Amino acid sequence: MTQPREDDADSQQESKDTSEPQALERGSTSPGPEQAGDETTTVGKVDDTADDEAAGSPAPQDQDSSSADDAPEDDAGADTEGVADAAASEVPGSAGPDAPSEKRRSGSRSARRHRRSLGRTLARSVGILTSAALATAIGGVTWWGHAAPTTPTPQLQALSLAQPGGATTYVCPHAPTNTLRGTDVGATESTTAIVPAKGTGTAQSATYAGRSIPTDTATSMNTAEGGILTLVPADGRVANAVGSVTTLTRNGDLRGLTAAPCTQPAAMSWIVGGSIAAGSSSELRLTNPGVTPATAKVTLYGSIGRLSLPSNGEITVPAGGSSSLPLETKGSQDPRIAVSVEADGGSVVPTLVTESLDGETPAGTDVITPGASPATDLVIPGVEIVEPAAQGEVPEAKTGADSSDAPAVRIVNPGQAPATVSVTMLGKDGARPLSGAQSVTIDAGSVFDIQLAGVPAGTYGVQVTSSTPVGAAVRMVRSGAEYPQRSKALIHDQAWAQAGLPGAADSGLLAVPRGSSLSSAVTVANSGATTSVTLSSLDGSWSQDVKVAKGGSVVVEVPAKVAAVRLSTGNQENSSGTSRTSSGLAAATIVTAQAGGDMDGTLISTVPAQPDATVQAQRRILLD
């Protein structure tokens, strides 16, 4: 509030003292009590008194004439005076000795009426001028608001800052555990390999599954039980390492090859692939490497929309522990599924472990890690197509046995509206649209498979473009002979290649599993402009620059001694922290092995590239 000033109080008191004599002066001209009842008869007497005062001294200013509320009363007084004048002129003998006095009174009344009329005219003129001035001022302000130049708002830029000194955490997946309860499991060869980075990103110390491991050399263990890998940086920067877990089962109900990378935790993850049809099992495993429990919300998509899960898909994952959720339920049997995982209270690492039997015929196993989140442009690397008879596309010539699975592109549309999707094959001869897979409509909330029949043998990347964001993956199949005899079913293995994680081929790390029974091929696909990718070993002993044409896919020869490679391009984020744009690159390692005996055939799996931990640790902020 504003306190009253001393000078304001003095001026108010002075005004009050001045008004008191004016009130007394006006009181001397007021009619007496006996005249108050008849206003018409008092007009003449008031005028007489006023005339006497006017004769003796200058007439005082008429205060009533300046008030808008009193204006009608003044008009009435003037009219009454006119009536009185007319009446006086008609009285006999009015031309007597008092005639000069009457003339003076008449002149005084005319002057008074003139002053009142002039006052009213001036008041109206001042009002009109004031209104005009206000209107002009408002118009000027409005015009200035439109016409005056405005200061442009500076555009904000994003800056990426790395979180210094923090430990890097990975989760390595667990092998399949016979969730199908097969009676003939067979022998399994398991390997967990961890390759630490040297130079930039060196770790001061490392632990895996609660045990210390060396930081200056690779670690290999004949186990696939999974665990948490923690790296403490040596130079205050973010430490890096590459880990992978492989299992090879040549016979039995779990016949198949699995190969999966160790991955970092995330708050949101997507996995496309698997089946919960009769004879198939899909188990979602969640690991929480944090120090507080996390709650995961799992959403399962099927052929005709979302599928129900126990507890509405919510599952609590203990700190430093794991939880599992079988996706098959009594009311849901669907050969086409995809899953999203959203963590609350922390970050988790999901893996989807699939096992399949076609009656008594082994139909493959796989361990699937997350791929890219739904987007309108995705690239799936590491897709190897072989002859139709070797990937279950045609029945066996002698027995007529066929495979329950065939190569396909799986697409999930998590949106609320249908998606229009097109598929393009990225190969050594450039980009070629997949026949019959242009402008395919995918219903909202559903999962759909597009067959890869008719694609020539070769190594490809698969580009999926859509009108609305979708998730995507590719199923590869390797089929053998009929097993058991007269079953009419071809024994086979299958692998799911996920859409490449953003930036993983621009600045990322890729495992290259090694072993006496394994063959590994590093592939890079490119949906964007022609670019060069540098592949190098983590110890810096080997490097190679590879040119990848627009719409192409290449296989890179990596020395047998190299178990992990670093990927980098000129399009990666520079030291100033400015963000890069998507290059359209994606990379993966295709891993194969051979089974023998009556279960003879090729086994297959893929390992996708993972983003550099330094990029994962960056936080984007806005600077003015």
Side-chain angles (χ1 to χ4, degrees):
M1 296 178 60
T2 304
Q3 297 295 332
R5 297 189 312 176
E6 222 173 283
D7 52 353
D8 292 340
D10 294 342
S11 63
Q12 291 173 3
Q13 181 64 31
E14 183 179 348
S15 174
K16 179 179 179 182
D17 295 342
T18 306
S19 63
E20 288 177 358
Q22 292 177 354
L24 291 174
E25 183 178 354
R26 290 178 57 86
S28 63
T29 61
S30 301
E34 69 277 10
Q35 299 168 346
D38 191 351
E39 185 178 356
T40 304
T41 58
T42 62
V43 171
K45 294 188 179 291
V46 172
D47 291 340
D48 291 344
T49 308
D51 290 344
D52 294 339
E53 292 175 356
S57 64
Q61 184 177 356
D62 189 355
Q63 296 179 1
D64 292 342
S65 65
S66 63
S67 173
D69 293 338
D70 295 337
E73 184 178 345
D74 294 340
D75 294 341
D79 294 341
T80 307
E81 288 167 359
V83 173
D85 292 343
S89 64
E90 293 175 1
V91 175
S94 60
D98 293 335
S101 177
E102 287 295 334
K103 290 181 179 180
R104 285 195 303 270
R105 283 197 297 270
S106 176
S108 175
R109 284 194 296 270
S110 298
R112 212 163 36 248
R113 282 196 301 271
H114 177 71
R115 286 196 301 271
R116 287 172 181 163
S117 177
L118 179 61
R120 285 194 296 273
T121 302
L122 289 174
R124 291 191 184 101
S125 300
V126 169
I128 292 172
L129 291 174
T130 302
S131 300
L134 288 174
T136 303
I138 293 172
V141 170
T142 304
W143 172 84
W144 178 256
H146 288 286
T150 58
T151 303
T153 303
Q155 186 174 2
L156 300 180
Q157 294 184 345
L159 178 66
S160 296
L161 299 177
Q163 181 181 3
T168 304
T169 304
Y170 297 89
V171 173
C172 301
H174 196 289
T177 55
N178 191 23
T179 55
L180 282 176
R181 294 179 173 84
T183 57
D184 180 13
V185 177
T188 300
E189 301 173 18
S190 302
T191 304
T192 298
I194 299 172
V195 183
K198 294 184 178 181
T200 302
T202 300
Q204 177 182 352
S205 63
T207 59
Y208 177 70
R211 295 173 292 179
S212 295
I213 61 173
T215 60
D216 56 353
T217 186
T219 299
S220 182
M221 298 167 280
N222 295 325
T223 181
E225 296 179 355
I228 298 173
L229 172 63
T230 303
L231 307 174
V232 178
D235 52 5
R237 299 183 180 181
V238 178
N240 269 307
V242 178
S244 63
V245 178
T246 60
T247 64
L248 172 60
T249 306
R250 290 186 172 92
N251 51 57
D253 293 339
L254 297 183
R255 174 187 180 273
L257 173 65
T258 70
C262 302
T263 60
Q264 290 192 268
M268 187 73 189
S269 303
W270 285 82
I271 297 176
V272 181
S275 170
I276 56 173
S280 297
S281 171
S282 292
E283 180 185 19
L284 183 66
R285 298 174 182 169
L286 304 170
T287 301
N288 174 18
V291 296
T292 58
T295 301
K297 170 63 176 175
V298 180
T299 304
L300 180 62
Y301 298 86
S303 300
I304 58 174
R306 294 189 180 187
L307 304 176
S308 61
L309 288 171
S311 302
N312 198 30
E314 293 188 0
I315 182 171
T316 300
V317 188
S322 299
S323 299
S324 62
L325 177 66
L327 299 183
E328 58 269 17
T329 61
K330 292 182 179 179
S332 299
Q333 290 191 352
D334 200 316
R336 301 192 294 266
I337 62 169
V339 63
S340 68
V341 179
E342 184 176 3
D344 184 17
S347 298
V348 299
V349 174
T351 55
L352 185 64
V353 181
T354 65
E355 303 171 5
S356 297
L357 282 171
D358 183 8
E360 299 179 10
T361 304
T365 61
D366 203 5
V367 176
I368 314 171
T369 56
S373 297
T376 56
D377 193 344
L378 299 169
V379 176
I380 306 163
V383 177
E384 188 178 54
I385 302 297
V386 294
E387 296 299 326
Q391 57 185 12
E393 287 187 312
V394 295
E396 190 177 45
K398 292 182 180 180
T399 64
D402 59 9
S403 171
S404 57
D405 296 300
V409 180
R410 176 163 296 180
I411 299 171
V412 55
N413 174 16
Q416 302 297 319
T420 302
V421 172
S422 296
V423 178
T424 302
M425 305 301 294
L426 310 175
K428 63 178 183 179
D429 298 325
R432 292 186 177 181
L434 179 63
S435 178
Q438 306 303 302
S439 300
V440 178
T441 300
I442 312 295
D443 292 336
S446 67
V447 181
F448 189 74
D449 285 355
I450 299 174
Q451 301 301 315
L452 287 173
V455 177
T459 301
Y460 296 89
V462 176
Q463 182 182 16
V464 176
T465 57
S466 175
S467 59
T468 60
V470 296
V474 171
R475 177 178 59 206
M476 292 177 285
V477 175
R478 294 295 182 269
S479 58
E482 180 186 35
Y483 183 88
Q485 292 183 359
R486 294 183 292 277
S487 65
K488 296 297 182 180
L490 294 177
I491 194 170
H492 63 275
D493 190 21
Q494 55 184 307
W496 287 97
Q498 300 293 296
L501 293 168
D506 297 277
S507 179
L509 302 167
L510 176 61
V512 187
R514 297 302 186 183
S516 58
S517 303
L518 303 178
S519 297
S520 295
V522 174
T523 68
V524 182
N526 180 24
S527 66
T530 299
T531 188
S532 290
V533 183
T534 301
L535 290 82
S536 59
S537 59
L538 269 62
D539 61 3
S541 62
W542 169 85
S543 68
Q544 181 178 342
D545 292 334
V546 178
K547 183 177 181 180
V548 189
K550 178 180 180 180
S553 181
V554 299
V555 178
V556 183
E557 293 288 340
V558 177
K561 65 178 182 179
V562 176
V565 298
R566 184 187 299 274
L567 303 161
S568 61
T569 68
N571 196 39
Q572 63 183 329
E573 183 163 318
N574 58 40
S575 59
S576 67
T578 55
S579 61
R580 59 169 176 254
T581 57
S582 176
S583 64
L585 288 172
T589 300
I590 303 172
V591 186
T592 58
Q594 293 296 320
D598 54 359
M599 292 189 177
D600 185 33
T602 300
L603 309 176
I604 189 169
S605 190
T606 64
V607 181
Q610 300 297 305
D612 190 300
T614 303
V615 177
Q616 293 290 84
Q618 286 176 340
R619 301 293 183 265
R620 295 174 64 78
I621 63 175
L622 290 177
L623 296 181
D624 192 348

